[in-house]
Amino acid sequence: MDFADFADRVADIEAETADLEITTLVATLFADADDDLPVVARLLLGRVFPAWDSTTLDVGPALCHAALARAAGPNVTPDDVADRLADAGEIGAVAESLDLGGQQGLGAFGAGGRDPLTVAEVNDRLRDLAAADGSGSQDHKVDVLFDLFNRADPPATRYLARLVLSEMRIGVGEGTVRDAIAEAFDVPVDAVERALQVENDYGAVAVRARDEGVPGLTDVTLTVGRPVRAMLAQTGTAADAVDAWGTVAVETKYDGARVQVHHDPAGETRIFSRNMEDVTDALPEVVEFAETELEVPVILDGEVVAVDDDGDPLPFQEVLRRFRRKHDIERMREEVAVELRTFDCLHVGGTDLLDASLRERRERLADTLATHVSPLTLTDDVDDIADREAAALSDGHEGIMLKNPESAYTPGKRGQNWLKRKPDVETLDLVVTGAEWGEGRRANHLGTFLLSARVEDGGGSGDGGFATIGKVATGITDERLAELTDLLEPRIEGRDGTEVDIDPAVVFEVGYEEIQESPTYESGYALRFPRFVAVRDDKSPADADSLSRIDRLVE
Ligand code: AMP
């Protein structure tokens, strides 16, 4: 498929406002995509790689602006592109407004010229670009992007630019793609959903649905080394749990960071975050632990916690100093020790356990690993649960988890089968979407941060954007303000006086006293006395608290 044809179809999808029509347009595109189906399914979600693969293109705005400016000719500079972006608000519109193309002899390489771009070629070139590393890689990336922009006409330039920055913004979320796969190839949505949970690749699942139908979707198995999304919990009370299930599995809720450990004795050990990001290099002692203790291929679910010299838990902030760290790992390892606590297992020695009950999975876990398994108690007594909660808190843990012993493991789902009891004051995880420069002594720092809740699109993981809910300025030391400024300044997208817009990427945990209804913010709510608690490095905007959760809290 020519990329120009793909872009025309995407433009039709973007222009459509009725959800069902959008799904049908996407389904028709899938049905026509032939060999390009896997790539098309991913590109619609702004992805070049499958969801399980945390490889990124690693192209920042500056690089994209440089490539666009070069393709627009000698009269346009990267600063001009940035200025246009401040006016237009999104890079696709900027790319489309520039007269790109036909630049000769300015470092165009490969075939150059104006050969029509195909979807496959765009995909291959972006994958090569992602692999570029080391000295000269930035120049190489600009060259590749220049060549692509130089050969594309609007509206292809619009979607190319958005794709390069991993944001399609066409109103198509994961739920839409799932429904469109079902519609295009006449298979039940549930079967598609389940295959997606296991395989985490919209492209591969679309091909299975088309070529093998339901049997192909049902046959999908886990692969050691390929992560799945973590199963999630709702908040609930001990009485809710006893009423719903009779017998309740009670576990310690560790105050750490979620990890999925994939260990293959004949291969390697990889560790993934709850968002399937590869964090192996940051946690060498967990790798050493797995290599010493595990003898068969397994996928374990658990939490890494920071511990003191006696093995007692340290606060969550300590784990975050280790999690995802890319430099000085050995030095930090001396300062903060981390340990694994496991509480579930998804696969043991060739057998997938997603459909097995928690009871059975726990038996397999106990057979597989002799230590570092979270204790589990089965009880039907609400008072017993309260005692265990008090004991967990006095041991320095975050609280307890209540689980349905008969339930299956449902990746990525915040279902009714896992409940978290968190007795401390609620906090919210909100996305930073704006900020204000400080005054006086704090003039060089961003001082006040605009916070937004996630808006779901009704299906999948939400592509509905963000709605503002408040501003936080208290609870932040000068030193922390400097760190936050370093973190957020590169993500500034537009400014108005001292106020700036920030690309949604960073999640803050904030405490508050109350949520009030208020016309001031887009969400219709405002936080009373918000205070900064922490940067949630382990969460992406897709994991931030949603507006519907806030609706429930207010109720
Ligand atoms: P929250 O981050 O508040 O949504 O709470 C859910 C998180 O608690 C999970 O994603 C895990 O990271 C963490 N957690 C700690 N202990 C457990 C446990 N025993 N079972 C499940 N999740 C746990």
Side-chain angles (χ1 to χ4, degrees):
M1 184 183 278
D2 281 347
F3 193 78
D5 294 338
F6 169 73
D8 285 338
R9 305 281 288 257
V10 175
D12 290 344
I13 294 168
E14 188 180 10
E16 180 56 60
T17 51
D19 287 348
L20 287 178
E21 274 305 311
I22 293 176
T23 308
T24 300
L25 287 173
V26 174
T28 320
L29 173 58
F30 287 170
D32 296 342
D34 294 325
D35 291 347
D36 294 314
L37 176 60
V39 174
V40 164
R42 293 182 202 121
L43 294 191
L44 283 185
L45 291 168
R47 300 186 138 274
V48 172
F49 295 94
W52 60 263
D53 185 339
S54 46
T55 310
T56 58
L57 299 181
D58 205 12
V59 172
L63 220 147
C64 178
H65 297 176
L68 278 170
R70 204 202 288 176
N75 297 329
V76 180
T77 67
D79 283 346
D80 296 335
V81 177
D83 287 346
R84 285 185 188 230
L85 179 60
D87 289 339
E90 67 94 13
I91 197 70
V94 176
E96 209 169 11
S97 73
L98 293 165
D99 183 17
L100 304 179
Q103 300 302 319
Q104 304 288 341
L106 285 166
F109 68 93
R114 302 276 290 165
D115 294 345
L117 279 174
T118 62
V119 165
E121 191 188 352
V122 169
N123 182 59
D124 291 346
R125 299 290 291 278
L126 291 180
R127 280 177 173 248
D128 285 351
L129 176 143
D133 199 7
S135 76
S137 66
Q138 300 295 318
D139 290 344
H140 173 71
K141 286 182 175 184
V142 176
D143 285 346
V144 172
L145 295 179
F146 160 71
D147 185 52
L148 293 175
F149 285 131
N150 196 29
R151 288 166 55 198
D153 292 315
T157 47
R158 170 165 22 143
Y159 299 114
L160 205 46
R162 291 190 193 167
L163 197 55
V164 162
L165 295 179
S166 307
E167 50 180 40
M168 282 301 263
R169 299 194 183 176
I170 52 170
V172 172
E174 295 183 348
T176 312
V177 172
R178 175 199 61 204
D179 294 353
I181 294 173
E183 183 174 324
F185 308 118
D186 199 19
V187 287
V189 173
D190 288 354
V192 179
E193 168 81 31
R194 183 66 178 161
L196 287 170
Q197 284 179 11
V198 181
E199 197 163 27
N200 284 298
D201 178 357
Y202 285 80
V205 170
V207 171
R208 277 179 192 280
R210 181 187 64 189
D211 298 347
E212 300 167 64
V214 174
L217 294 172
T218 329
D219 271 357
V220 184
T221 52
L222 295 172
T223 300
V224 177
R226 187 186 70 202
V228 300
R229 293 201 161 93
M231 181 165 173
L232 302 170
Q234 296 191 349
T235 35
T237 66
D240 292 340
V242 172
D243 287 349
W245 317 317
T247 303
V248 177
V250 184
E251 292 175 6
T252 305
K253 185 172 195 290
Y254 297 103
D255 200 6
R258 186 78 172 266
V259 285
Q260 202 172 84
V261 179
H262 289 239
H263 174 73
D264 178 359
E268 52 175 5
T269 304
R270 307 284 342 155
I271 307 166
F272 300 95
S273 73
R274 55 188 265 156
N275 300 321
M276 306 188 291
E277 189 185 345
D278 192 324
V279 292
T280 313
D281 293 344
L283 303 167
E285 55 268 70
V286 178
V287 175
E288 287 158 18
F289 171 80
E291 280 168 359
T292 320
E293 298 293 327
L294 296 166
E295 284 161 8
V296 288
V298 286
I299 304 177
L300 303 175
D301 190 4
E303 191 94 347
V304 274
V305 288
V307 291
D308 64 16
D309 292 344
D310 298 327
D312 290 329
L314 292 171
F316 175 65
Q317 273 68 16
E318 295 297 313
V319 179
L320 288 187
R321 297 173 65 200
R322 291 287 313 273
F323 208 68
R324 285 167 148 193
R325 176 171 277 275
K326 300 212 164 54
H327 306 288
D328 288 340
I329 291 163
E330 284 305 321
R331 183 177 62 76
M332 276 312 288
R333 186 178 171 175
E334 303 284 312
E335 272 184 45
V336 183
V338 297
E339 281 185 5
L340 178 66
R341 302 281 180 269
T342 55
F343 48 74
D344 216 318
C345 84
L346 281 50
H347 175 101
V348 175
T351 310
D352 284 356
L353 298 170
L354 293 177
D355 294 323
S357 67
L358 173 64
R359 233 180 243 277
E360 195 182 331
R361 298 199 305 276
R362 282 302 218 129
E363 277 167 24
R364 298 300 300 269
L365 177 59
D367 294 344
T368 308
L369 188 61
T371 66
H372 294 67
V373 177
S374 141
L376 170 136
T377 322
L378 293 169
T379 177
D380 56 8
D381 178 357
V382 175
D383 293 335
D384 187 19
I385 295 176
D387 290 347
R388 289 184 188 279
E389 177 163 33
L393 289 169
S394 80
D395 287 345
H397 301 299
E398 200 185 358
I400 52 171
M401 296 288 297
L402 306 173
K403 299 183 180 176
N404 178 354
E406 307 310 327
S407 63
Y409 192 99
T410 45
K413 289 277 149 215
R414 199 177 283 289
Q416 299 280 1
N417 285 317
W418 286 17
L419 299 178
K420 56 186 175 196
R421 285 271 304 132
K422 256 211 256 180
D424 33 350
V425 187
E426 281 281 345
T427 57
L428 288 173
D429 295 328
L430 297 168
V431 183
V432 182
T433 53
E436 285 168 32
W437 290 103
E439 288 173 2
R441 181 168 60 89
R442 292 180 160 187
N444 293 328
H445 293 154
L446 294 170
T448 302
F449 303 90
L450 182 64
L451 304 168
S452 293
R454 183 166 56 86
V455 181
E456 288 147 322
D457 72 341
S461 71
D463 187 31
F466 300 93
T468 53
I469 186 165
K471 289 180 179 172
V472 66
T474 42
I476 316 177
T477 60
D478 281 0
E479 192 189 356
R480 180 49 74 86
L481 272 185
E483 282 169 29
L484 295 176
T485 303
D486 287 348
L487 180 68
L488 291 164
E489 196 174 359
R491 305 186 194 281
I492 291 180
E493 286 202 316
R495 68 184 72 209
D496 178 8
T498 55
E499 294 184 13
V500 297
D501 293 333
I502 293 192
D503 184 34
V506 174
V507 176
F508 278 10
E509 181 176 356
V510 288
Y512 59 93
E513 285 197 356
E514 208 185 322
I515 306 173
Q516 292 179 315
E517 294 195 3
S518 155
T520 311
Y521 297 106
E522 292 155 4
S523 61
Y525 298 119
L527 299 180
R528 284 198 74 199
F529 306 117
R531 75 197 149 76
F532 174 86
V533 177
V535 176
R536 289 297 302 255
D537 273 339
D538 60 324
K539 291 200 172 181
S540 64
D543 304 312
D545 278 310
S546 64
L547 199 49
S548 52
R549 165 140 204 270
I550 293 164
D551 288 336
R552 284 199 301 278
L553 286 173
V554 171
E555 263 174 40

